[in-house]
Amino acid sequence: MLEKVRVFGNSKDCIDWLNSVRVSPAIVSFLNAHAFNLSCRNPAFYSALMASEIVLRDGVGTELIMQAAALKAGVNTNGTDLIPAVLQSRPGARVAVIGTREPWLSAACARIEKFGANVVLRIDGFKDVGAYVEEVACAAPDIILLGMGMPKQEFVAVELVKRLDRHPCLILNGGAILDFLADRFPRAPKGLRRFRMEWLFRLLLEPRRLWRRYIVGGVIFSTRIVQVAWVSRSNLLAKVSGSSEIASSNPDHANSNSRGQGRGIEPGKSEAA
C-alpha cells in the first residue's frame, strides 16, 4: 500500500500534477495513520483506497512509516492545506460539495465560492451511498469534494466513478475539510503545525470523538511502524546475503579479478584484452 503513495518535493508540483490529470474521473485520496490502520482491518476500505488514481501522504505518521519502509516521504500533502489550494488554482471550476450538515455545509460552500469556484451542487453527508450518484451525474462537476470522513467518502467515490464513466473530473476525499472551511473547527496554531502536532490540537478540541483514533490508534500504528521497519531490514539483509552467495559461488571470476587488479588490469578483463 505504501508504494501506492505518490510523493512530491513541494505542494506546487502536486497541484500542477493534479490539474494535469486526464483520467476520467480520477479519485484523489489521502493516507494518514488513521487510514492506514483502517485499511489493515477493513478489506473493503483497502480496496476503495487502492482504487484511487492517486494517494497522497498526509501527516507525520505516514512519513515515519514510509521512512521505516525505506521509501521517500516527500512533502506533507495533507488535504486541509492542499484542497483549498487546488480550488484556488481552478477559478470557475464547477464544484459538487458533499458532506457535513447545515449550517456548516452552506458556510463551506460560501468559502469555496470565495476561492473563485462555482458550487453547482451541495448535499449533506448523511445519506445512503447510492443517494449521491444520480444528483452528481446530473450536475456534471469538474471537481467533486467529499467531506464525509473515512470510510464512507471512499465508498462513495468508487460508486461515483462507476456512474460517471468517462466524465473528466477530480474526486477529492477531503475528510473534515468542509468543517474547517466553515470554521466549525479552528486549525491548530502555526507553531503546533510547524512541530507537526496538529493531531494533539484536534484531540483536545474533540476528545470524546477522537480519543480512540489518536490514543488507541496511535499505539497500534506505532507497532505497525516497528513491523514495517523489521520487514524492511530483513529484506535488505536477505538482498545483501544473496549478493554475497552469488559472489562466493564463482571463485574463479573473483580470483581473476583480483589478479588483474594486482597487475593494473581492469576488473573483469583478461591480459589478452
Side-chain angles (χ1 to χ4, degrees):
M1 177 171 53
L2 293 175
E3 287 80 1
K4 177 80 174 179
V5 178
R6 182 179 288 269
V7 299
F8 294 89
N10 57 71
S11 296
K12 183 181 181 303
D13 287 346
C14 180
I15 294 167
D16 290 344
W17 191 90
L18 290 175
N19 287 333
S20 71
V21 170
R22 293 295 178 264
V23 176
S24 305
I27 302 174
V28 181
S29 297
F30 297 85
L31 183 68
N32 55 25
H34 174 58
F36 192 93
N37 283 342
L38 188 57
S39 68
C40 289
R41 67 175 186 267
N42 187 329
F45 174 71
Y46 173 82
S47 296
L49 193 65
M50 296 301 286
S52 304
E53 177 66 22
I54 179 173
V55 177
L56 298 172
R57 178 178 78 79
D58 180 356
V60 62
T62 315
E63 178 182 1
L64 293 175
I65 203 165
M66 290 183 74
Q67 290 174 345
L71 297 171
K72 291 182 179 180
V75 69
N76 180 23
T77 46
N78 70 85
T80 312
D81 292 320
L82 188 71
I83 289 173
V86 170
L87 294 171
Q88 289 171 334
S89 73
R90 302 274 296 269
R94 295 168 57 84
V95 181
V97 181
I98 304 175
T100 195
R101 65 173 83 237
E102 294 294 356
W104 316 114
L105 177 56
S106 292
C109 289
R111 181 83 176 275
I112 290 169
E113 289 183 332
K114 285 184 179 178
F115 294 150
N118 178 24
V119 176
V120 295
L121 178 68
R122 62 186 73 183
I123 316 175
D124 71 67
F126 296 91
K127 301 182 186 300
D128 292 334
V129 171
Y132 303 107
V133 177
E134 290 303 322
E135 291 194 60
V136 171
C138 293
D142 302 311
I143 297 173
I144 304 169
L145 179 53
L146 304 179
M148 294 173 283
M150 300 173 184
K152 184 176 181 179
Q153 63 190 13
E154 284 74 19
F155 295 154
V156 170
V158 170
E159 292 304 313
L160 287 172
V161 167
K162 293 176 184 176
R163 176 63 179 83
L164 294 173
D165 193 21
R166 296 184 180 181
H167 174 68
C169 67
L170 283 179
I171 303 175
L172 304 174
N173 287 320
I177 182 63
L178 299 179
D179 289 325
F180 285 121
L181 290 175
D183 291 327
R184 182 180 184 183
F185 302 119
R187 290 291 304 275
K190 288 184 178 180
L192 279 179
R193 279 185 265 166
R194 189 177 301 115
F195 287 102
R196 301 190 287 186
M197 299 291 287
E198 188 164 10
W199 66 270
L200 178 60
F201 183 80
R202 291 195 65 192
L203 177 61
L204 294 174
L205 281 180
E206 299 182 85
R208 293 183 63 182
R209 187 175 76 86
L210 296 177
W211 74 270
R212 187 178 296 276
R213 176 188 300 185
Y214 288 127
I215 303 301
V216 178
V219 172
I220 293 171
F221 187 73
S222 297
T223 64
R224 289 188 167 125
I225 291 176
V226 174
Q227 291 170 349
V228 167
W230 177 262
V231 171
S232 178
R233 181 176 181 274
S234 299
N235 289 342
L236 178 61
L237 290 175
K239 274 187 181 179
V240 172
S241 176
S243 299
S244 300
E245 288 176 6
I246 291 172
S248 62
S249 67
N250 193 356
D252 292 338
H253 178 70
N255 290 336
S256 67
N257 282 352
S258 61
R259 288 196 301 271
Q261 287 174 334
R263 291 192 292 273
I265 301 173
E266 292 183 32
K269 291 187 177 181
S270 67
E271 289 180 284

